[in-house]
Amino acid sequence: MQALRARGAEQVGITLNLTPMTPADDHPAVADAVRRADGLHNRLFLDPLLRGRYPDDVRRDLAAVTDFGFEQDGDAAIIAAPLDLLGVNYYQRQVVTTSAMPGAAILATRPTESPLTAMGWGTDPDGLGDLLRRLHREYGDLPLYVTENGAAYDDVVGPDDAVHDPERTAYLAAHFASAAGAISDGVPLRGYFVWSLMDNFEWAHGYSKRFGIVYVDYATQQRRIKDSGRWYADLLRAHRDAHGVASGS
């Protein structure tokens, strides 16, 4: 951040993969498991960046593993250098439960009980709105951007040479609505990026998972706009026309 600022960079931020944690039931042990899961997945990154310190409860949880001796004098101030924006990658909510071993501090997570994507991930559009509201409530008025949100499905080219993906269209529509609800509640959400424009190389899954709104035939490199891509284009066009934005803006 210091180097970027020194070179005149503007609108600098960071993106985090954030996952809302929901208890499987109302048992006190499950509530503590949710706290620990949230600490390790979310607050361990959010708090140093936006509050200038690692969470005290996470320090206690990890005491048997580390004393945080790696943190040097001055590190906290460097880590918490002011940001212009926070990017949010959101795909699913996790349901948290305790370990099957009595007295163990181990926890387990699973997707919500909802239609799963080709990645085996749950679909929970309400989780996006909840996450955005929480970030605004707990970390202030920092502008937010959804830098990744989307779903992989087993897309195929049909006999009509088109790719019909109604599940993805429904997924995006529901998540856009959730984000719009958060904006109505005062969340400073400034932008939203669908993951992804085209089918792409997906980490350990290679080319086997398709997240794009444009289908890529990897053998020929031919691109086909999926139904979800056409729906998205229509949505953007309608929004532009409704707000009087000039074409190309």
Side-chain angles (χ1 to χ4, degrees), residues 19-24 27-44 47 55-62 94 96-98 105 107-109 134:
T19 305
M21 300 294 174
T22 298
H27 193 282
V30 173
D32 187 64
V34 169
R35 177 195 62 76
R36 289 184 284 115
D38 180 65
L40 290 173
H41 286 268
N42 299 316
R43 292 183 289 114
L44 184 63
D47 280 21
D56 290 339
D57 65 309
V58 175
R59 286 178 177 268
R60 292 191 295 269
D61 291 341
L62 297 177
Q94 288 288 337
V96 182
T97 187
T98 54
L107 56 86
T109 60
R134 177 200 177 176

PDB file of all heavy atoms in Angstrom, residues 19-24 27-44 47 55-62 94 96-98 105 107-109 134:
ATOM      1  N   THR A  19     -17.098 -15.468   4.140  1.00  0.00           N
ATOM      2  CA  THR A  19     -18.133 -16.499   4.212  1.00  0.00           C
ATOM      3  C   THR A  19     -18.955 -16.345   5.481  1.00  0.00           C
ATOM      4  O   THR A  19     -18.425 -16.542   6.579  1.00  0.00           O
ATOM      5  CB  THR A  19     -17.505 -17.906   4.196  1.00  0.00           C
ATOM      6  OG1 THR A  19     -16.672 -18.039   3.039  1.00  0.00           O
ATOM      7  CG2 THR A  19     -18.579 -18.980   4.164  1.00  0.00           C
ATOM      8  N   PRO A  20     -20.226 -15.982   5.377  1.00  0.00           N
ATOM      9  CA  PRO A  20     -21.070 -15.944   6.577  1.00  0.00           C
ATOM     10  C   PRO A  20     -21.181 -17.333   7.197  1.00  0.00           C
ATOM     11  O   PRO A  20     -21.257 -18.340   6.485  1.00  0.00           O
ATOM     12  CB  PRO A  20     -22.429 -15.470   6.047  1.00  0.00           C
ATOM     13  CG  PRO A  20     -22.125 -14.825   4.737  1.00  0.00           C
ATOM     14  CD  PRO A  20     -20.953 -15.565   4.173  1.00  0.00           C
ATOM     15  N   MET A  21     -21.189 -17.370   8.521  1.00  0.00           N
ATOM     16  CA  MET A  21     -21.275 -18.625   9.260  1.00  0.00           C
ATOM     17  C   MET A  21     -22.603 -18.687  10.008  1.00  0.00           C
ATOM     18  O   MET A  21     -22.946 -17.762  10.748  1.00  0.00           O
ATOM     19  CB  MET A  21     -20.119 -18.734  10.249  1.00  0.00           C
ATOM     20  CG  MET A  21     -18.744 -18.695   9.610  1.00  0.00           C
ATOM     21  SD  MET A  21     -18.451 -20.162   8.569  1.00  0.00           S
ATOM     22  CE  MET A  21     -16.859 -19.723   7.830  1.00  0.00           C
ATOM     23  N   THR A  22     -23.338 -19.773   9.821  1.00  0.00           N
ATOM     24  CA  THR A  22     -24.656 -19.943  10.426  1.00  0.00           C
ATOM     25  C   THR A  22     -24.668 -21.181  11.310  1.00  0.00           C
ATOM     26  O   THR A  22     -24.167 -22.232  10.895  1.00  0.00           O
ATOM     27  CB  THR A  22     -25.729 -20.092   9.330  1.00  0.00           C
ATOM     28  OG1 THR A  22     -25.773 -18.899   8.551  1.00  0.00           O
ATOM     29  CG2 THR A  22     -27.110 -20.340   9.940  1.00  0.00           C
ATOM     30  N   PRO A  23     -25.208 -21.089  12.531  1.00  0.00           N
ATOM     31  CA  PRO A  23     -25.240 -22.267  13.400  1.00  0.00           C
ATOM     32  C   PRO A  23     -26.192 -23.338  12.889  1.00  0.00           C
ATOM     33  O   PRO A  23     -27.265 -23.030  12.361  1.00  0.00           O
ATOM     34  CB  PRO A  23     -25.708 -21.692  14.741  1.00  0.00           C
ATOM     35  CG  PRO A  23     -26.482 -20.461  14.378  1.00  0.00           C
ATOM     36  CD  PRO A  23     -25.792 -19.892  13.167  1.00  0.00           C
ATOM     37  N   ALA A  24     -25.803 -24.583  13.070  1.00  0.00           N
ATOM     38  CA  ALA A  24     -26.673 -25.700  12.679  1.00  0.00           C
ATOM     39  C   ALA A  24     -27.858 -25.834  13.624  1.00  0.00           C
ATOM     40  O   ALA A  24     -28.920 -26.317  13.234  1.00  0.00           O
ATOM     41  CB  ALA A  24     -25.876 -26.998  12.646  1.00  0.00           C
ATOM     42  N   HIS A  27     -27.514 -24.938  20.123  1.00  0.00           N
ATOM     43  CA  HIS A  27     -26.711 -25.424  21.240  1.00  0.00           C
ATOM     44  C   HIS A  27     -25.572 -24.431  21.514  1.00  0.00           C
ATOM     45  O   HIS A  27     -24.963 -23.906  20.576  1.00  0.00           O
ATOM     46  CB  HIS A  27     -26.128 -26.800  20.906  1.00  0.00           C
ATOM     47  CG  HIS A  27     -25.548 -27.510  22.084  1.00  0.00           C
ATOM     48  ND1 HIS A  27     -24.309 -27.203  22.612  1.00  0.00           N
ATOM     49  CD2 HIS A  27     -26.039 -28.524  22.855  1.00  0.00           C
ATOM     50  CE1 HIS A  27     -24.051 -27.982  23.632  1.00  0.00           C
ATOM     51  NE2 HIS A  27     -25.095 -28.795  23.811  1.00  0.00           N
ATOM     52  N   PRO A  28     -25.270 -24.144  22.790  1.00  0.00           N
ATOM     53  CA  PRO A  28     -24.181 -23.201  23.103  1.00  0.00           C
ATOM     54  C   PRO A  28     -22.846 -23.587  22.488  1.00  0.00           C
ATOM     55  O   PRO A  28     -22.069 -22.712  22.084  1.00  0.00           O
ATOM     56  CB  PRO A  28     -24.127 -23.235  24.633  1.00  0.00           C
ATOM     57  CG  PRO A  28     -25.504 -23.627  25.060  1.00  0.00           C
ATOM     58  CD  PRO A  28     -25.994 -24.571  24.005  1.00  0.00           C
ATOM     59  N   ALA A  29     -22.559 -24.882  22.406  1.00  0.00           N
ATOM     60  CA  ALA A  29     -21.292 -25.318  21.815  1.00  0.00           C
ATOM     61  C   ALA A  29     -21.237 -24.969  20.331  1.00  0.00           C
ATOM     62  O   ALA A  29     -20.163 -24.665  19.789  1.00  0.00           O
ATOM     63  CB  ALA A  29     -21.096 -26.815  22.017  1.00  0.00           C
ATOM     64  N   VAL A  30     -22.387 -25.011  19.677  1.00  0.00           N
ATOM     65  CA  VAL A  30     -22.435 -24.649  18.260  1.00  0.00           C
ATOM     66  C   VAL A  30     -22.223 -23.152  18.099  1.00  0.00           C
ATOM     67  O   VAL A  30     -21.525 -22.701  17.184  1.00  0.00           O
ATOM     68  CB  VAL A  30     -23.767 -25.098  17.630  1.00  0.00           C
ATOM     69  CG1 VAL A  30     -23.884 -24.578  16.196  1.00  0.00           C
ATOM     70  CG2 VAL A  30     -23.881 -26.618  17.649  1.00  0.00           C
ATOM     71  N   ALA A  31     -22.791 -22.359  19.001  1.00  0.00           N
ATOM     72  CA  ALA A  31     -22.576 -20.909  18.950  1.00  0.00           C
ATOM     73  C   ALA A  31     -21.095 -20.582  19.074  1.00  0.00           C
ATOM     74  O   ALA A  31     -20.573 -19.695  18.382  1.00  0.00           O
ATOM     75  CB  ALA A  31     -23.376 -20.228  20.065  1.00  0.00           C
ATOM     76  N   ASP A  32     -20.386 -21.303  19.947  1.00  0.00           N
ATOM     77  CA  ASP A  32     -18.960 -21.063  20.079  1.00  0.00           C
ATOM     78  C   ASP A  32     -18.212 -21.523  18.833  1.00  0.00           C
ATOM     79  O   ASP A  32     -17.229 -20.894  18.429  1.00  0.00           O
ATOM     80  CB  ASP A  32     -18.414 -21.786  21.310  1.00  0.00           C
ATOM     81  CG  ASP A  32     -16.959 -21.423  21.585  1.00  0.00           C
ATOM     82  OD1 ASP A  32     -16.703 -20.232  21.882  1.00  0.00           O
ATOM     83  OD2 ASP A  32     -16.085 -22.304  21.487  1.00  0.00           O
ATOM     84  N   ALA A  33     -18.681 -22.605  18.216  1.00  0.00           N
ATOM     85  CA  ALA A  33     -18.059 -23.071  16.976  1.00  0.00           C
ATOM     86  C   ALA A  33     -18.230 -22.026  15.872  1.00  0.00           C
ATOM     87  O   ALA A  33     -17.308 -21.794  15.076  1.00  0.00           O
ATOM     88  CB  ALA A  33     -18.665 -24.406  16.547  1.00  0.00           C
ATOM     89  N   VAL A  34     -19.388 -21.385  15.828  1.00  0.00           N
ATOM     90  CA  VAL A  34     -19.620 -20.327  14.848  1.00  0.00           C
ATOM     91  C   VAL A  34     -18.651 -19.170  15.091  1.00  0.00           C
ATOM     92  O   VAL A  34     -18.066 -18.624  14.151  1.00  0.00           O
ATOM     93  CB  VAL A  34     -21.078 -19.832  14.915  1.00  0.00           C
ATOM     94  CG1 VAL A  34     -21.258 -18.553  14.099  1.00  0.00           C
ATOM     95  CG2 VAL A  34     -22.025 -20.905  14.419  1.00  0.00           C
ATOM     96  N   ARG A  35     -18.487 -18.804  16.357  1.00  0.00           N
ATOM     97  CA  ARG A  35     -17.546 -17.728  16.685  1.00  0.00           C
ATOM     98  C   ARG A  35     -16.143 -18.069  16.196  1.00  0.00           C
ATOM     99  O   ARG A  35     -15.461 -17.231  15.591  1.00  0.00           O
ATOM    100  CB  ARG A  35     -17.532 -17.496  18.198  1.00  0.00           C
ATOM    101  CG  ARG A  35     -16.508 -16.436  18.644  1.00  0.00           C
ATOM    102  CD  ARG A  35     -16.256 -16.495  20.140  1.00  0.00           C
ATOM    103  NE  ARG A  35     -15.695 -17.771  20.580  1.00  0.00           N
ATOM    104  CZ  ARG A  35     -14.421 -18.131  20.395  1.00  0.00           C
ATOM    105  NH1 ARG A  35     -13.563 -17.332  19.773  1.00  0.00           N
ATOM    106  NH2 ARG A  35     -13.995 -19.314  20.830  1.00  0.00           N
ATOM    107  N   ARG A  36     -15.713 -19.316  16.454  1.00  0.00           N
ATOM    108  CA  ARG A  36     -14.365 -19.718  16.050  1.00  0.00           C
ATOM    109  C   ARG A  36     -14.225 -19.769  14.532  1.00  0.00           C
ATOM    110  O   ARG A  36     -13.214 -19.343  13.974  1.00  0.00           O
ATOM    111  CB  ARG A  36     -14.015 -21.070  16.683  1.00  0.00           C
ATOM    112  CG  ARG A  36     -13.794 -20.953  18.190  1.00  0.00           C
ATOM    113  CD  ARG A  36     -13.346 -22.268  18.815  1.00  0.00           C
ATOM    114  NE  ARG A  36     -14.436 -23.216  18.953  1.00  0.00           N
ATOM    115  CZ  ARG A  36     -14.524 -24.374  18.312  1.00  0.00           C
ATOM    116  NH1 ARG A  36     -13.577 -24.747  17.471  1.00  0.00           N
ATOM    117  NH2 ARG A  36     -15.551 -25.182  18.517  1.00  0.00           N
ATOM    118  N   ALA A  37     -15.246 -20.302  13.863  1.00  0.00           N
ATOM    119  CA  ALA A  37     -15.200 -20.374  12.398  1.00  0.00           C
ATOM    120  C   ALA A  37     -15.163 -18.981  11.791  1.00  0.00           C
ATOM    121  O   ALA A  37     -14.390 -18.710  10.856  1.00  0.00           O
ATOM    122  CB  ALA A  37     -16.405 -21.156  11.878  1.00  0.00           C
ATOM    123  N   ASP A  38     -15.984 -18.094  12.316  1.00  0.00           N
ATOM    124  CA  ASP A  38     -16.001 -16.724  11.816  1.00  0.00           C
ATOM    125  C   ASP A  38     -14.660 -16.042  12.075  1.00  0.00           C
ATOM    126  O   ASP A  38     -14.149 -15.296  11.228  1.00  0.00           O
ATOM    127  CB  ASP A  38     -17.123 -15.939  12.481  1.00  0.00           C
ATOM    128  CG  ASP A  38     -17.186 -14.499  11.999  1.00  0.00           C
ATOM    129  OD1 ASP A  38     -17.476 -14.281  10.815  1.00  0.00           O
ATOM    130  OD2 ASP A  38     -16.940 -13.592  12.826  1.00  0.00           O
ATOM    131  N   GLY A  39     -14.069 -16.316  13.230  1.00  0.00           N
ATOM    132  CA  GLY A  39     -12.777 -15.736  13.547  1.00  0.00           C
ATOM    133  C   GLY A  39     -11.700 -16.155  12.584  1.00  0.00           C
ATOM    134  O   GLY A  39     -10.892 -15.340  12.124  1.00  0.00           O
ATOM    135  N   LEU A  40     -11.659 -17.440  12.254  1.00  0.00           N
ATOM    136  CA  LEU A  40     -10.612 -17.965  11.386  1.00  0.00           C
ATOM    137  C   LEU A  40     -10.830 -17.624   9.915  1.00  0.00           C
ATOM    138  O   LEU A  40      -9.872 -17.408   9.171  1.00  0.00           O
ATOM    139  CB  LEU A  40     -10.516 -19.483  11.549  1.00  0.00           C
ATOM    140  CG  LEU A  40      -9.953 -19.985  12.881  1.00  0.00           C
ATOM    141  CD1 LEU A  40     -10.080 -21.497  12.981  1.00  0.00           C
ATOM    142  CD2 LEU A  40      -8.490 -19.575  13.038  1.00  0.00           C
ATOM    143  N   HIS A  41     -12.085 -17.577   9.484  1.00  0.00           N
ATOM    144  CA  HIS A  41     -12.376 -17.355   8.070  1.00  0.00           C
ATOM    145  C   HIS A  41     -12.525 -15.888   7.704  1.00  0.00           C
ATOM    146  O   HIS A  41     -12.235 -15.494   6.571  1.00  0.00           O
ATOM    147  CB  HIS A  41     -13.655 -18.099   7.668  1.00  0.00           C
ATOM    148  CG  HIS A  41     -13.498 -19.579   7.546  1.00  0.00           C
ATOM    149  ND1 HIS A  41     -13.182 -20.214   6.361  1.00  0.00           N
ATOM    150  CD2 HIS A  41     -13.604 -20.564   8.463  1.00  0.00           C
ATOM    151  CE1 HIS A  41     -13.100 -21.515   6.553  1.00  0.00           C
ATOM    152  NE2 HIS A  41     -13.351 -21.760   7.822  1.00  0.00           N
ATOM    153  N   ASN A  42     -13.023 -15.083   8.648  1.00  0.00           N
ATOM    154  CA  ASN A  42     -13.369 -13.704   8.325  1.00  0.00           C
ATOM    155  C   ASN A  42     -12.607 -12.670   9.153  1.00  0.00           C
ATOM    156  O   ASN A  42     -11.859 -11.858   8.627  1.00  0.00           O
ATOM    157  CB  ASN A  42     -14.882 -13.502   8.503  1.00  0.00           C
ATOM    158  CG  ASN A  42     -15.700 -14.404   7.597  1.00  0.00           C
ATOM    159  OD1 ASN A  42     -15.395 -14.565   6.417  1.00  0.00           O
ATOM    160  ND2 ASN A  42     -16.749 -15.008   8.147  1.00  0.00           N
ATOM    161  N   ARG A  43     -12.774 -12.710  10.473  1.00  0.00           N
ATOM    162  CA  ARG A  43     -12.221 -11.643  11.311  1.00  0.00           C
ATOM    163  C   ARG A  43     -10.693 -11.646  11.388  1.00  0.00           C
ATOM    164  O   ARG A  43     -10.082 -10.603  11.613  1.00  0.00           O
ATOM    165  CB  ARG A  43     -12.830 -11.713  12.717  1.00  0.00           C
ATOM    166  CG  ARG A  43     -14.303 -11.358  12.747  1.00  0.00           C
ATOM    167  CD  ARG A  43     -14.890 -11.363  14.148  1.00  0.00           C
ATOM    168  NE  ARG A  43     -15.006 -12.707  14.681  1.00  0.00           N
ATOM    169  CZ  ARG A  43     -14.325 -13.177  15.714  1.00  0.00           C
ATOM    170  NH1 ARG A  43     -13.413 -12.416  16.324  1.00  0.00           N
ATOM    171  NH2 ARG A  43     -14.514 -14.410  16.148  1.00  0.00           N
ATOM    172  N   LEU A  44     -10.080 -12.804  11.190  1.00  0.00           N
ATOM    173  CA  LEU A  44      -8.618 -12.872  11.205  1.00  0.00           C
ATOM    174  C   LEU A  44      -8.020 -11.983  10.123  1.00  0.00           C
ATOM    175  O   LEU A  44      -6.884 -11.513  10.239  1.00  0.00           O
ATOM    176  CB  LEU A  44      -8.164 -14.322  11.012  1.00  0.00           C
ATOM    177  CG  LEU A  44      -6.655 -14.598  11.085  1.00  0.00           C
ATOM    178  CD1 LEU A  44      -6.109 -14.264  12.472  1.00  0.00           C
ATOM    179  CD2 LEU A  44      -6.349 -16.045  10.737  1.00  0.00           C
ATOM    180  N   ASP A  47     -10.132  -7.762  10.762  1.00  0.00           N
ATOM    181  CA  ASP A  47      -9.753  -6.938  11.913  1.00  0.00           C
ATOM    182  C   ASP A  47      -8.374  -6.294  11.773  1.00  0.00           C
ATOM    183  O   ASP A  47      -8.220  -5.094  12.059  1.00  0.00           O
ATOM    184  CB  ASP A  47      -9.844  -7.754  13.198  1.00  0.00           C
ATOM    185  CG  ASP A  47     -11.271  -7.872  13.709  1.00  0.00           C
ATOM    186  OD1 ASP A  47     -12.203  -7.677  12.893  1.00  0.00           O
ATOM    187  OD2 ASP A  47     -11.468  -8.152  14.898  1.00  0.00           O
ATOM    188  N   PRO A  55      -7.951 -10.277  16.240  1.00  0.00           N
ATOM    189  CA  PRO A  55      -8.991 -10.442  17.263  1.00  0.00           C
ATOM    190  C   PRO A  55      -8.453 -11.166  18.496  1.00  0.00           C
ATOM    191  O   PRO A  55      -7.763 -12.180  18.386  1.00  0.00           O
ATOM    192  CB  PRO A  55     -10.060 -11.280  16.558  1.00  0.00           C
ATOM    193  CG  PRO A  55      -9.781 -11.134  15.096  1.00  0.00           C
ATOM    194  CD  PRO A  55      -8.302 -10.948  14.974  1.00  0.00           C
ATOM    195  N   ASP A  56      -8.809 -10.653  19.667  1.00  0.00           N
ATOM    196  CA  ASP A  56      -8.326 -11.247  20.914  1.00  0.00           C
ATOM    197  C   ASP A  56      -8.788 -12.695  21.069  1.00  0.00           C
ATOM    198  O   ASP A  56      -8.014 -13.554  21.523  1.00  0.00           O
ATOM    199  CB  ASP A  56      -8.812 -10.425  22.118  1.00  0.00           C
ATOM    200  CG  ASP A  56      -8.128  -9.062  22.197  1.00  0.00           C
ATOM    201  OD1 ASP A  56      -7.042  -8.905  21.611  1.00  0.00           O
ATOM    202  OD2 ASP A  56      -8.702  -8.158  22.834  1.00  0.00           O
ATOM    203  N   ASP A  57     -10.036 -12.983  20.697  1.00  0.00           N
ATOM    204  CA  ASP A  57     -10.530 -14.344  20.877  1.00  0.00           C
ATOM    205  C   ASP A  57      -9.833 -15.314  19.936  1.00  0.00           C
ATOM    206  O   ASP A  57      -9.594 -16.474  20.291  1.00  0.00           O
ATOM    207  CB  ASP A  57     -12.053 -14.408  20.696  1.00  0.00           C
ATOM    208  CG  ASP A  57     -12.495 -14.067  19.283  1.00  0.00           C
ATOM    209  OD1 ASP A  57     -12.063 -13.015  18.763  1.00  0.00           O
ATOM    210  OD2 ASP A  57     -13.279 -14.845  18.696  1.00  0.00           O
ATOM    211  N   VAL A  58      -9.455 -14.851  18.735  1.00  0.00           N
ATOM    212  CA  VAL A  58      -8.728 -15.721  17.806  1.00  0.00           C
ATOM    213  C   VAL A  58      -7.324 -15.983  18.336  1.00  0.00           C
ATOM    214  O   VAL A  58      -6.805 -17.096  18.228  1.00  0.00           O
ATOM    215  CB  VAL A  58      -8.692 -15.096  16.402  1.00  0.00           C
ATOM    216  CG1 VAL A  58      -7.840 -15.946  15.459  1.00  0.00           C
ATOM    217  CG2 VAL A  58     -10.099 -14.940  15.847  1.00  0.00           C
ATOM    218  N   ARG A  59      -6.715 -14.974  18.935  1.00  0.00           N
ATOM    219  CA  ARG A  59      -5.408 -15.184  19.576  1.00  0.00           C
ATOM    220  C   ARG A  59      -5.509 -16.280  20.632  1.00  0.00           C
ATOM    221  O   ARG A  59      -4.645 -17.158  20.727  1.00  0.00           O
ATOM    222  CB  ARG A  59      -4.925 -13.886  20.214  1.00  0.00           C
ATOM    223  CG  ARG A  59      -4.418 -12.830  19.239  1.00  0.00           C
ATOM    224  CD  ARG A  59      -4.020 -11.568  20.008  1.00  0.00           C
ATOM    225  NE  ARG A  59      -3.474 -10.537  19.160  1.00  0.00           N
ATOM    226  CZ  ARG A  59      -2.180 -10.379  18.896  1.00  0.00           C
ATOM    227  NH1 ARG A  59      -1.291 -11.214  19.412  1.00  0.00           N
ATOM    228  NH2 ARG A  59      -1.769  -9.392  18.115  1.00  0.00           N
ATOM    229  N   ARG A  60      -6.567 -16.231  21.436  1.00  0.00           N
ATOM    230  CA  ARG A  60      -6.743 -17.255  22.482  1.00  0.00           C
ATOM    231  C   ARG A  60      -7.004 -18.623  21.859  1.00  0.00           C
ATOM    232  O   ARG A  60      -6.452 -19.635  22.306  1.00  0.00           O
ATOM    233  CB  ARG A  60      -7.896 -16.871  23.422  1.00  0.00           C
ATOM    234  CG  ARG A  60      -7.604 -15.641  24.279  1.00  0.00           C
ATOM    235  CD  ARG A  60      -8.658 -15.479  25.360  1.00  0.00           C
ATOM    236  NE  ARG A  60      -9.977 -15.208  24.799  1.00  0.00           N
ATOM    237  CZ  ARG A  60     -10.460 -13.992  24.565  1.00  0.00           C
ATOM    238  NH1 ARG A  60      -9.718 -12.915  24.824  1.00  0.00           N
ATOM    239  NH2 ARG A  60     -11.674 -13.825  24.066  1.00  0.00           N
ATOM    240  N   ASP A  61      -7.817 -18.656  20.822  1.00  0.00           N
ATOM    241  CA  ASP A  61      -8.122 -19.929  20.163  1.00  0.00           C
ATOM    242  C   ASP A  61      -6.866 -20.585  19.600  1.00  0.00           C
ATOM    243  O   ASP A  61      -6.760 -21.816  19.570  1.00  0.00           O
ATOM    244  CB  ASP A  61      -9.126 -19.716  19.019  1.00  0.00           C
ATOM    245  CG  ASP A  61     -10.516 -19.343  19.507  1.00  0.00           C
ATOM    246  OD1 ASP A  61     -10.820 -19.597  20.690  1.00  0.00           O
ATOM    247  OD2 ASP A  61     -11.292 -18.790  18.700  1.00  0.00           O
ATOM    248  N   LEU A  62      -5.930 -19.762  19.144  1.00  0.00           N
ATOM    249  CA  LEU A  62      -4.730 -20.274  18.476  1.00  0.00           C
ATOM    250  C   LEU A  62      -3.525 -20.354  19.394  1.00  0.00           C
ATOM    251  O   LEU A  62      -2.403 -20.608  18.932  1.00  0.00           O
ATOM    252  CB  LEU A  62      -4.390 -19.395  17.275  1.00  0.00           C
ATOM    253  CG  LEU A  62      -5.435 -19.348  16.150  1.00  0.00           C
ATOM    254  CD1 LEU A  62      -4.993 -18.378  15.055  1.00  0.00           C
ATOM    255  CD2 LEU A  62      -5.696 -20.725  15.574  1.00  0.00           C
ATOM    256  N   GLN A  94     -21.840 -20.875   5.036  1.00  0.00           N
ATOM    257  CA  GLN A  94     -21.512 -22.166   5.625  1.00  0.00           C
ATOM    258  C   GLN A  94     -22.349 -22.407   6.879  1.00  0.00           C
ATOM    259  O   GLN A  94     -22.551 -21.490   7.682  1.00  0.00           O
ATOM    260  CB  GLN A  94     -20.028 -22.225   5.991  1.00  0.00           C
ATOM    261  CG  GLN A  94     -19.091 -22.320   4.804  1.00  0.00           C
ATOM    262  CD  GLN A  94     -19.114 -23.681   4.126  1.00  0.00           C
ATOM    263  OE1 GLN A  94     -19.483 -24.686   4.727  1.00  0.00           O
ATOM    264  NE2 GLN A  94     -18.731 -23.716   2.864  1.00  0.00           N
ATOM    265  N   VAL A  96     -22.444 -24.281  10.388  1.00  0.00           N
ATOM    266  CA  VAL A  96     -21.397 -24.725  11.309  1.00  0.00           C
ATOM    267  C   VAL A  96     -21.986 -25.614  12.390  1.00  0.00           C
ATOM    268  O   VAL A  96     -23.053 -25.338  12.945  1.00  0.00           O
ATOM    269  CB  VAL A  96     -20.715 -23.511  11.972  1.00  0.00           C
ATOM    270  CG1 VAL A  96     -19.580 -23.968  12.891  1.00  0.00           C
ATOM    271  CG2 VAL A  96     -20.189 -22.552  10.918  1.00  0.00           C
ATOM    272  N   THR A  97     -21.275 -26.692  12.697  1.00  0.00           N
ATOM    273  CA  THR A  97     -21.646 -27.557  13.805  1.00  0.00           C
ATOM    274  C   THR A  97     -20.376 -27.953  14.547  1.00  0.00           C
ATOM    275  O   THR A  97     -19.267 -27.639  14.121  1.00  0.00           O
ATOM    276  CB  THR A  97     -22.403 -28.799  13.306  1.00  0.00           C
ATOM    277  OG1 THR A  97     -22.891 -29.531  14.436  1.00  0.00           O
ATOM    278  CG2 THR A  97     -21.503 -29.704  12.471  1.00  0.00           C
ATOM    279  N   THR A  98     -20.558 -28.637  15.668  1.00  0.00           N
ATOM    280  CA  THR A  98     -19.410 -29.064  16.455  1.00  0.00           C
ATOM    281  C   THR A  98     -18.926 -30.422  15.984  1.00  0.00           C
ATOM    282  O   THR A  98     -19.592 -31.114  15.219  1.00  0.00           O
ATOM    283  CB  THR A  98     -19.776 -29.149  17.944  1.00  0.00           C
ATOM    284  OG1 THR A  98     -20.929 -29.996  18.086  1.00  0.00           O
ATOM    285  CG2 THR A  98     -20.104 -27.772  18.499  1.00  0.00           C
ATOM    286  N   ALA A 105     -12.478 -29.284  20.375  1.00  0.00           N
ATOM    287  CA  ALA A 105     -12.668 -27.925  19.874  1.00  0.00           C
ATOM    288  C   ALA A 105     -12.813 -27.901  18.355  1.00  0.00           C
ATOM    289  O   ALA A 105     -12.950 -26.843  17.761  1.00  0.00           O
ATOM    290  CB  ALA A 105     -11.502 -27.045  20.290  1.00  0.00           C
ATOM    291  N   LEU A 107     -14.445 -28.121  14.749  1.00  0.00           N
ATOM    292  CA  LEU A 107     -15.763 -27.792  14.215  1.00  0.00           C
ATOM    293  C   LEU A 107     -15.861 -28.310  12.790  1.00  0.00           C
ATOM    294  O   LEU A 107     -14.871 -28.673  12.168  1.00  0.00           O
ATOM    295  CB  LEU A 107     -16.011 -26.277  14.269  1.00  0.00           C
ATOM    296  CG  LEU A 107     -15.002 -25.361  13.581  1.00  0.00           C
ATOM    297  CD1 LEU A 107     -15.310 -25.188  12.097  1.00  0.00           C
ATOM    298  CD2 LEU A 107     -14.965 -24.002  14.266  1.00  0.00           C
ATOM    299  N   ALA A 108     -17.079 -28.352  12.294  1.00  0.00           N
ATOM    300  CA  ALA A 108     -17.312 -28.814  10.931  1.00  0.00           C
ATOM    301  C   ALA A 108     -18.223 -27.829  10.224  1.00  0.00           C
ATOM    302  O   ALA A 108     -19.088 -27.210  10.844  1.00  0.00           O
ATOM    303  CB  ALA A 108     -17.945 -30.212  10.950  1.00  0.00           C
ATOM    304  N   THR A 109     -18.023 -27.659   8.931  1.00  0.00           N
ATOM    305  CA  THR A 109     -18.878 -26.784   8.134  1.00  0.00           C
ATOM    306  C   THR A 109     -19.429 -27.567   6.951  1.00  0.00           C
ATOM    307  O   THR A 109     -18.823 -28.523   6.477  1.00  0.00           O
ATOM    308  CB  THR A 109     -18.109 -25.560   7.615  1.00  0.00           C
ATOM    309  OG1 THR A 109     -17.012 -26.002   6.796  1.00  0.00           O
ATOM    310  CG2 THR A 109     -17.570 -24.715   8.769  1.00  0.00           C
ATOM    311  N   ARG A 134     -23.394  -6.590   7.446  1.00  0.00           N
ATOM    312  CA  ARG A 134     -22.485  -6.778   8.580  1.00  0.00           C
ATOM    313  C   ARG A 134     -21.209  -5.963   8.401  1.00  0.00           C
ATOM    314  O   ARG A 134     -20.729  -5.323   9.345  1.00  0.00           O
ATOM    315  CB  ARG A 134     -22.137  -8.254   8.721  1.00  0.00           C
ATOM    316  CG  ARG A 134     -21.127  -8.495   9.840  1.00  0.00           C
ATOM    317  CD  ARG A 134     -20.398  -9.790   9.724  1.00  0.00           C
ATOM    318  NE  ARG A 134     -19.403  -9.918  10.787  1.00  0.00           N
ATOM    319  CZ  ARG A 134     -18.670 -10.993  10.977  1.00  0.00           C
ATOM    320  NH1 ARG A 134     -18.809 -12.036  10.182  1.00  0.00           N
ATOM    321  NH2 ARG A 134     -17.777 -11.024  11.951  1.00  0.00           N
TER     322      ARG A 134
END
